[in-house]
Amino acid sequence: MPDVDDAQDGKDYHIGVPMQSNAFFLKGSNSLDWGMKNRLARIFNPATGKTVMLAVDHGYFQGPTTGLERIDIAIVPLVPYADALMITRGALRTSIPAEMAKPVVLRSSGGQSILKELSNELVAVDVEDAVRLNASAMAVQVYIGGVHEHQSIGNLVKVVDAGTKTGIPTLAVTGVGKELVRDAKYLGLATRICAEMGAHVVKTYYCEKGFARVAAACPVPLVIAGGKKLPEPEALKMAYEAIDQGAAGVDMGRNIFQCEAPIAMIQAVRAVVHDQEKPDKAYELYLSLKRDAVPNRS
Ligand code: 5RP
């Protein structure tokens, strides 16, 4: 029985002071339930509204990608510098220590390989397993204009519905087939469809022309993929321009883990995303951190 001997009437009711009721910091997210908001606030830094998500899920369709041959060796040291880790359940369970306190964005679609049609995916994780793994979000690929467009939208819907029951947000990833052009018209179509189908965050590619319109027309936070490895100054410039034009962060893989100095690069990306550092300054930061890490290389 609770100890009631010392119970006293409270005094600090602040009568006349309205109950605080602030809008949630992420766009399009104010009507979500507390658990969803709390998970999103683990992925996105509430102080900046942005995220640096480290994507290491490439093996789910392309096997041991360069830089990901040994996730335990190459990726674990990067985790402290990321805001969130996008990863498959297989890689998480086998290669990432459970002591890691970073939020997990769990790759939840799959079922194909680079040898076959990429859009032929299914839901590849049961939501119960996402709960078991303490996932902060589930990630599903959506192939607008792809051979299996309908099926991939169906996968998104299933994951959004399962996540809504358990309070886990869904990140929709716009997969773009080789035959499609990554311009603002296409990316605007794909990202908007994902958000309208219930995705809580959308991941897409940056495009040189019209990205601000893509970001503005997406009613939930938009993060960009890095895409294939670029020279570091170009990758930092792309991240800067995306943030400047409305992206809420990056979900970057190869442009970090395929760098000669990945820890230096992720810190330079953080400077761009969270501190709006200009790309040339961020590149200087990369070079100086790289010199410290690998003293004999410039
Ligand atoms: C695979 C993915 C990857 O996570 C995505 O491509 C991000 O990685 P990168 O920055 O290397 O493009 O969603 O389809």
Side-chain angles (χ1 to χ4, degrees), residues 30-224:
N30 201 43
S31 302
L32 299 176
D33 191 27
W34 195 95
M36 284 258 189
K37 285 178 175 161
N38 184 256
R39 287 183 176 91
L40 288 169
R42 297 192 67 221
I43 296 170
F44 291 88
N45 182 339
T48 63
K50 308 283 192 307
T51 189
V52 174
M53 208 183 287
L54 178 63
V56 298
D57 60 326
H58 306 57
Y60 91 94
F61 70 104
Q62 59 185 49
T65 309
T66 305
L68 296 181
E69 298 89 341
R70 286 289 301 271
I71 287 179
D72 59 329
I73 294 172
I75 300 304
V76 170
L78 288 175
V79 170
Y81 301 94
D83 293 310
L85 186 64
M86 183 189 192
I87 191 164
T88 62
R89 61 178 166 182
L92 187 65
R93 282 199 167 100
T94 58
S95 309
I96 303 288
E99 292 86 346
M100 174 200 78
K102 299 288 171 154
V104 168
V105 177
L106 191 65
R107 159 61 55 187
S108 301
S109 67
Q112 88 293 40
S113 79
I114 42 169
L115 305 179
K116 293 274 176 73
E117 167 53 43
L118 284 184
S119 67
N120 193 10
E121 287 198 346
L122 40 80
V123 175
V125 172
D126 191 298
V127 71
E128 275 184 20
D129 207 32
V131 171
R132 212 174 280 126
L133 286 166
N134 198 24
S136 291
M138 294 181 286
V140 180
Q141 216 82 358
V142 178
Y143 294 91
I144 300 303
V147 178
H148 298 282
E149 173 188 273
H150 180 74
Q151 179 182 313
S152 71
I153 295 175
N155 293 338
L156 173 64
V157 169
K158 283 181 200 147
V159 171
V160 168
D161 283 339
T164 300
K165 286 184 190 141
T166 47
I168 302 181
T170 299
L171 165 71
V173 182
T174 59
V176 188
K178 285 202 177 82
E179 67 290 358
L180 295 163
V181 185
R182 295 178 188 184
D183 59 13
K185 193 169 179 199
Y186 172 79
L187 298 175
L189 175 74
T191 53
R192 182 60 176 261
I193 290 172
C194 290
E196 299 259 356
M197 297 312 289
H200 304 94
V201 182
V202 178
K203 167 173 165 176
T204 196
Y205 292 94
Y206 177 69
C207 59
E208 294 273 341
K209 283 191 191 150
F211 183 79
R213 287 188 190 185
V214 178
C218 182
V220 296
L222 195 61
V223 295
I224 61 151

